[in-house]
Amino acid sequence: MPDLTIHAASKLSKYTKENLIEEFIEGRAAVYSENGWGFLDEKGNEVIEMQYDGVSSPCFSDGLAFVGKNGKYGFIDKNGNEVVKVQYDGNQMTREFSEGDGLISFVKNGQFIYVNRKGKEVLKVKYDVAWDFSDGLAAVGKKEKYGFINKQGKEVIKLQYDTVSSFSNGLAAVSKKGKYGFINKKGKEVIGLRNDSAESFQDGLAVVSKKGKYGCIDKNGKEIIKLKYDQISEFSEGMAVVKLKEDYGYINRKGQEVIKPEYAMAGRFNGGLAMVSSHNKNGSECIDKNGKVVFKANYEQINDYFDEGYAVVYKKGKAGMIDKKGRELIKPKYNSIYMFSEGLAAVQANGKWGYIDQNGKEVIKPQYDHGGTFSSGMAAVRKGDQWSFIDQNGKVVLE
């Protein structure tokens, strides 16, 4: 738990409206100044000097943060030690280690190098491109032909394909001369190169297309969902949006049209609900997985994130909130509403930020020029030039 006591010294007084202080992640809060990004601990101490041009978001993951400085990149720990030396080329600010032992690809002096979590360069490869490992193999390429290597650097699947995807569910999509299929980790083409497009497998199904029509196959290449649709989305909560001519509907993972294509627009399911609009009706409706209308949405915009039991809506440019039955928890009156974190959501009214609870009650009156997200029981706020962290009662716990 963070130390939620007021400290006598005003440790945040050096920061002004020209700075930015973000929420605490793994005990560290990223801070931006004219000198770059650095980090505070939960007592307000600047434990990592502000010097970096960029930091990943979220800043720390499993004790490490990806940082960039002068066009070079690496990883630091929570004390600012360069675990992976900031010396590599690249521009992706969302890198993180994966697959347990963790190997990640960098470029140094024009060569691809795989580095582990301890900063050791464990593998150097001579390819034009080399991606991170997935399912134990990494895609590599040279002269626009692609294959795969293992973690010893051995080329286990010959560079022969025009395109490859990372392995997922034990298979990777590959293509030659515009035709797509799938290979296993031994390089065997278990699903022949006969499709015009192919996406990676997710939970045993992959979207493929022929002659502009889309469907889904299983890992044996069997057509589970007939190739007859003009579009198929990713599955969400067991349902995928499909388009047939100008109409949208929904199918389940067995390919059954559980909601017939008849809508002018259809959103993904989230929290058991989805937003749709009809060709001959104004406005939108919220339906359940049986296609039953739960409520009519007479709003200009609705963010369909009902997995938390609510959604932010907009009417006449003002934000409010509704529950899964369409009842207004908060009437549209705010300029903005952030998503809830630790039971509170930041709201903006007349240019000032405050916080509401999940019943819509203003537990902290809008009064701040900046209102951050709650994390570890605290949120970074700013009044004028003065930054501080407050608790969920609005009490200043760090300034």
Side-chain angles (χ1 to χ4, degrees):
M1 291 292 293
D3 179 4
L4 298 183
T5 58
I6 300 179
H7 300 275
S10 183
K11 295 186 176 181
L12 304 185
S13 61
K14 62 188 278 188
Y15 306 113
T16 71
K17 63 183 179 181
E18 304 301 324
N19 302 113
L20 176 64
I21 301 179
E22 298 189 340
E23 71 270 22
F24 282 101
I25 303 292
E26 295 189 7
R28 296 291 183 266
V31 185
Y32 179 76
S33 76
E34 61 181 7
N35 296 320
W37 289 91
F39 294 89
L40 304 177
D41 66 13
E42 290 176 335
K43 293 184 178 181
N45 299 309
E46 191 177 297
V47 291
I48 300 175
E49 180 186 354
M50 289 183 282
Q51 58 180 300
Y52 297 106
D53 302 327
V55 297
S56 57
S57 180
C59 54
F60 276 92
S61 177
D62 292 330
L64 297 179
F66 186 63
V67 296
K69 185 178 180 180
N70 299 325
K72 301 296 181 181
Y73 299 85
F75 285 85
I76 60 173
D77 66 16
K78 290 195 280 188
N79 295 316
N81 299 311
E82 289 188 1
V83 178
V84 177
K85 192 173 180 180
V86 181
Q87 61 176 332
Y88 299 101
D89 298 320
N91 58 6
Q92 296 176 322
M93 290 309 302
T94 55
R95 306 293 298 278
E96 62 181 66
F97 287 96
S98 60
E99 296 208 344
D101 55 352
L103 291 180
I104 198 165
S105 68
F106 284 105
V107 178
K108 186 171 74 173
N109 298 325
Q111 183 177 19
F112 278 89
I113 300 173
Y114 287 91
V115 182
N116 66 17
R117 288 182 59 87
K118 295 181 179 180
K120 182 179 179 182
E121 295 179 352
V122 297
L123 186 61
K124 297 181 179 180
V125 295
K126 294 182 178 180
Y127 294 101
D128 298 334
V129 63
W131 286 280
D132 291 340
F133 280 89
S134 177
D135 279 5
L137 297 180
V140 294
K142 184 183 290 185
K143 296 181 179 179
E144 298 185 352
K145 292 296 179 183
Y146 303 91
F148 292 86
I149 60 172
N150 63 19
K151 289 183 178 179
Q152 288 70 50
K154 181 180 179 181
E155 195 174 290
V156 292
I157 299 175
K158 183 181 177 182
L159 276 64
Q160 58 184 298
Y161 297 105
D162 298 330
T163 66
V164 296
S165 70
S166 297
F167 274 90
S168 176
N169 291 187
L171 299 178
V174 296
S175 76
K176 284 182 180 180
K177 298 179 180 179
K179 292 298 180 181
Y180 290 75
F182 291 86
I183 58 173
N184 63 19
K185 292 167 69 175
K186 293 182 178 180
K188 181 181 179 181
E189 291 181 3
V190 293
I191 299 174
L193 307 181
R194 56 178 179 263
N195 300 293
D196 295 333
S197 71
E199 299 180 12
S200 296
F201 274 91
Q202 292 186 339
D203 299 323
L205 290 181
V207 175
V208 297
S209 73
K210 288 181 181 179
K211 297 180 180 179
K213 297 297 180 182
Y214 293 80
C216 291
I217 58 173
D218 66 14
K219 293 172 71 174
N220 296 313
K222 182 181 178 182
E223 194 174 285
I224 303 300
I225 299 172
K226 188 175 180 181
L227 277 67
K228 67 175 186 177
Y229 297 104
D230 298 304
Q231 290 179 13
I232 297 182
S233 74
E234 290 186 359
F235 281 89
S236 175
E237 298 186 356
M239 305 277 274
V241 179
V242 293
K243 181 182 181 183
L244 200 55
K245 295 183 179 179
E246 299 302 320
D247 298 317
Y248 292 87
Y250 296 87
I251 59 172
N252 61 20
R253 297 185 65 84
K254 294 180 180 179
Q256 299 166 326
E257 286 185 358
V258 291
I259 300 175
K260 181 181 177 182
E262 61 182 6
Y263 298 105
M265 180 282 294
R268 66 188 177 93
F269 271 92
N270 197 305
L273 300 176
M275 300 304 303
V276 297
S277 61
S278 300
H279 289 287
N280 54 1
K281 295 180 182 178
N282 293 324
S284 300
E285 297 173 329
C286 185
I287 60 171
D288 63 19
K289 289 185 178 181
N290 296 313
K292 180 182 177 181
V293 176
V294 179
F295 63 86
K296 295 183 182 297
N298 296 315
Y299 300 99
E300 298 158 4
Q301 180 182 335
I302 178 166
N303 297 336
D304 54 341
Y305 296 108
F306 281 105
D307 55 338
E308 297 293 332
Y310 65 89
V312 176
V313 296
Y314 287 85
K315 182 181 284 187
K316 295 181 179 179
K318 297 294 183 180
M321 196 171 288
I322 60 174
D323 67 13
K324 294 175 73 171
K325 293 185 178 180
R327 297 176 298 203
E328 284 190 348
L329 300 175
I330 304 166
K331 290 186 177 182
K333 62 179 181 178
Y334 294 105
N335 300 117
S336 297
I337 299 179
Y338 284 175
M339 303 303 288
F340 279 97
S341 177
E342 299 188 356
L344 296 181
V347 296
Q348 186 188 51
N350 300 318
K352 300 295 181 181
W353 290 91
Y355 295 87
I356 59 173
D357 64 19
Q358 290 177 320
N359 294 316
K361 180 182 177 182
E362 281 186 2
V363 294
I364 302 174
K365 182 181 177 181
Q367 57 189 288
Y368 303 105
D369 297 305
H370 172 92
T373 302
F374 271 92
S375 177
S376 301
M378 297 183 285
V381 297
R382 179 177 58 81
K383 282 185 177 180
D385 274 339
Q386 181 60 54
W387 283 91
S388 60
F389 280 87
I390 59 172
D391 65 15
Q392 293 184 330
N393 295 313
K395 179 182 178 182
V396 174
V397 294
L398 180 60
E399 62 179 356

